Amino acid sequence: MVLHQTEPSYVRLHHSGELKNRADVAIARLEECTLCPRKCGADRSRDEPRGSFCGIGRYAWVSSAFPHHGEEPCLRGWNGSGTIFFSGCNLRCVFCQNNDISWYRTGSPCDAPRLARLMIRLQELGCHNINFVTPSHVVAQILEALPLAVEEGLRIPLVYNSGGYDSVETLRLLDGVIDIYMPDIKFTDSAVAERFAHAPDYWDVCQAAVREMHRQVGDLVLDDRGLAVRGLLVRHLVMPNGLAGTEKAMRFLAEEISPHTFVNVMAQYRPEGRAWDFPEIARRCTPEEYRQAVAIARQLGIYRLCRE
């Protein structure tokens, strides 16, 4: 589907006061945090949170923010996707290619005014969207910054680029705020998810999250320039030895979400982080493994496959 771009709905939520209301709710929940599926209950209203899984307290930590030209074509366009990389994560993927960011608190703390200014700067650079990378644990901080950014003129789509380990309750605070959801579907087997991400409930959580994301935004919609303006875009990283559970993931999308789901079946797995400690993932996936994954997606009716 192709549409002409319109003003994002988060602008209307701001003018009605609803955006600030949701920010207030999310910030209050930091005191005994249940914002992500870990539900660690840590007091994240302080700078040094004790017992929090993500390690991030009152302020988000930003590792980097820049126009990214390596995202999907419908996101990067010609001026880039305005990525804001958050430190910390609510997963612990042993193979994470950004483990220096996701496992640790790197970069610098970013209060609401500074985070808003980053968004505005990326828009001024011509980025086609604001791409929140690894946002699941900092939804409250994002919501707090958005009213300030809207007041400064933010008008481009917002992308929620997550690992797929998201709380439905928290996602509901983002209904009408996020324009494009871009979750991973990493694993479909609980034992695999526990071994490689310390999240045995990953598949159950991910399915519920993707259902909620699709309920909010529907299938991916492009404007008349080929840029994504709204909808769901799913990433699925093919792993060695079929460990990502591609058939189960694609069947779920085709039969329970939508056969029109836009999917990026990704071939770029490589051993990073602590992957070398796990023999079954201590190699790249082969070209044949990738071809089989794409073939499975097509056989199950997924036809909107990303092309680089």
Side-chain angles (χ1 to χ4, degrees):
M1 184 184 297
V2 177
L3 291 179
H4 293 280
Q5 189 170 4
T6 58
E7 185 174 78
S9 58
Y10 64 79
V11 176
R12 295 190 293 276
L13 286 179
H14 169 63
H15 292 320
S16 72
E18 177 63 15
L19 194 55
K20 184 181 184 303
N21 291 341
R22 295 192 195 177
D24 290 343
V25 169
I27 292 296
R29 290 182 186 172
L30 289 174
E31 293 183 4
E32 294 182 9
C33 191
T34 57
L35 286 170
C36 95
R38 296 285 177 186
K39 300 185 183 300
C40 65
D43 183 359
R44 293 183 56 213
S45 65
R46 60 179 67 193
D47 292 340
E48 296 293 336
R50 296 178 181 176
S52 72
F53 187 90
C54 65
I56 301 299
R58 179 60 181 83
Y59 300 114
W61 279 61
V62 172
S63 172
S64 61
F66 60 93
H68 198 325
H69 293 274
E71 300 288 68
E72 285 78 357
C74 61
L75 294 180
R76 69 178 183 244
W78 45 96
N79 288 331
S81 177
T83 50
I84 299 176
F85 281 83
F86 293 106
S87 293
C89 184
N90 66 346
L91 290 171
R92 284 291 181 270
C93 298
V94 298
F95 53 86
C96 182
Q97 296 177 3
N98 294 319
N99 68 88
D100 56 328
I101 300 171
S102 61
W103 281 61
Y104 307 102
R105 197 163 63 174
T106 59
S108 58
C110 199
D111 62 12
R114 184 181 173 208
L115 185 53
R117 287 195 297 271
L118 286 178
M119 298 181 211
I120 294 299
R121 178 57 178 156
L122 291 168
Q123 180 175 266
E124 290 173 346
L125 290 172
C127 293
H128 305 294
N129 45 69
I130 301 298
N131 187 342
F132 299 119
V133 183
T134 318
S136 304
H137 60 303
V138 289
V139 167
Q141 291 86 344
I142 291 170
L143 284 171
E144 183 182 34
L146 275 173
L148 304 178
V150 174
E151 284 296 310
E152 292 297 318
L154 187 70
R155 294 295 186 274
I156 56 179
L158 304 180
V159 182
Y160 188 89
N161 182 347
S162 84
Y165 196 59
D166 293 285
S167 161
V168 169
E169 184 180 18
T170 299
L171 290 173
R172 286 175 181 155
L173 292 175
L174 297 172
D175 193 355
V177 177
I178 296 300
D179 301 286
I180 300 158
Y181 280 106
M182 187 163 64
D184 293 329
I185 293 184
K186 293 180 180 290
F187 322 100
T188 62
D189 182 273
S190 61
V192 172
E194 181 174 23
R195 180 164 170 78
F196 299 130
H198 305 281
D201 60 344
Y202 177 86
W203 180 227
D204 289 339
V205 168
C206 184
Q207 289 178 93
V210 172
R211 287 191 183 99
E212 175 61 18
M213 292 173 182
H214 187 262
R215 182 195 70 78
Q216 291 183 21
V217 298
D219 296 325
L220 191 69
V221 175
L222 307 179
D223 68 11
D224 51 4
R225 303 170 296 172
L227 296 173
V229 293
R230 183 176 175 84
L232 176 69
L233 192 168
V234 175
R235 286 174 166 175
H236 179 70
L237 180 66
V238 180
M239 295 186 67
N241 300 303
L243 290 169
T246 298
E247 181 173 357
K248 196 171 180 180
M250 295 303 116
R251 189 178 300 280
F252 164 69
L253 292 174
E255 297 180 0
E256 300 186 42
I257 301 300
S258 167
H260 310 299
T261 303
F262 194 103
V263 182
N264 186 0
V265 179
M266 304 169 74
Q268 51 263 64
Y269 176 82
R270 62 181 185 273
E272 294 282 355
R274 304 180 186 183
W276 297 105
D277 296 332
F278 300 85
E280 62 268 51
I281 60 171
R283 65 169 176 82
R284 292 177 178 268
C285 74
T286 66
E288 180 57 27
E289 286 173 323
Y290 177 70
R291 285 193 292 269
Q292 288 177 356
V294 172
I296 287 169
R298 292 188 183 281
Q299 289 165 6
L300 290 171
I302 296 295
Y303 68 95
R304 296 183 75 190
L305 294 171
C306 180
R307 290 177 173 80
E308 295 297 328

